[in-house]
Amino acid sequence: LQQELSGASAARIARQSTYELAQNSSADALPDVLNDGTLRDTAAKMRDLRTQIADLRAVYGPDYDKVRRAQAELAVLQAAFDHDRTAVLSRIKNEYTDALRREQLLQSAYDSQTRQVTGEGEKAIQYNILKREVDSNRQLYDAMLAQLKQSRIASAMRASNVRVVDAAK
């Protein structure tokens, strides 16, 4: 759990960095936006279409039908580009939120395991104290039992007042 928590913390820090960068800078400057193939293709089509519109305006004027169609197509591409860029930003936020939640869950599990291990350590200490007390009481009991047997043996032997004065021949 500790290793997973460390990995999750590192992942969350990386995601948080990307998320904060996304919040504090232009969306067009983000590496995730710049490296997205769909967004690059759409941006290239938009550049080509803008160039085409500029050429058509120069030749025909802004009210020409082909200029209007190209402008409508540019608006559609711009909307798609904005939608895809928003999706990338949303994905960055979701990845950060996911990493944060995973780290929190692992931290909770780690804390739970730590409390459990600490509790087991305390129980082991208490067990060892009780075990020493049992061993001490057992030794005391064995010593008292031995003295009791000795006193029974001593009381069982009757004292006799007969003595051998001279041995018989």
Side-chain angles (χ1 to χ4, degrees), residues 120-138:
E120 287 177 5
E122 291 171 359
K123 287 178 184 176
I125 290 170
Q126 187 66 27
Y127 171 78
N128 287 333
I129 289 171
L130 291 174
K131 184 177 177 185
R132 274 189 248 121
E133 191 175 323
V134 166
D135 290 341
S136 173
N137 287 341
R138 183 172 288 136

Side-chain angles (χ1 to χ4, degrees), residues 36-168:
D36 189 87
T38 306
L39 288 174
R40 274 197 317 251
D41 293 344
T42 305
K45 288 177 186 176
M46 287 171 42
R47 278 191 304 274
D48 293 343
L49 201 53
R50 283 188 184 118
T51 305
Q52 184 181 2
I53 290 172
D55 291 343
L56 288 172
R57 276 188 181 172
V59 174
Y60 298 110
D63 293 332
Y64 188 63
D65 189 42
K66 281 190 175 184
V67 173
R68 286 185 183 165
R69 275 187 276 158
Q71 287 175 337
E73 189 178 341
L74 179 63
V76 170
L77 284 175
Q78 183 67 46
F81 181 80
D82 290 342
H83 179 268
D84 290 346
R85 184 174 54 193
T86 303
V88 168
L89 295 175
S90 178
R91 188 193 72 214
I92 290 170
K93 180 181 180 186
N94 289 341
E95 286 175 351
Y96 166 65
T97 304
D98 180 52
L100 180 64
R101 182 69 182 143
R102 184 171 189 274
E103 180 187 27
Q104 289 170 344
L105 289 172
L106 284 171
Q107 184 67 48
S108 174
Y110 178 75
D111 290 344
S112 173
Q113 287 293 320
T114 301
R115 282 191 301 277
Q116 184 178 358
V117 167
T118 302
E120 287 177 5
E122 291 171 359
K123 287 178 184 176
I125 290 170
Q126 187 66 27
Y127 171 78
N128 287 333
I129 289 171
L130 291 174
K131 184 177 177 185
R132 274 189 248 121
E133 191 175 323
V134 166
D135 290 341
S136 173
N137 287 341
R138 183 172 288 136
Q139 288 174 354
L140 183 62
Y141 172 76
D142 289 342
M144 291 190 70
L145 188 62
Q147 286 180 356
L148 179 66
K149 285 181 182 179
Q150 286 177 357
S151 67
R152 281 186 184 166
I153 290 173
S155 68
M157 296 166 84
R158 295 188 183 161
S160 74
N161 47 357
V162 176
R163 285 188 301 165
V164 176
V165 177
D166 285 325

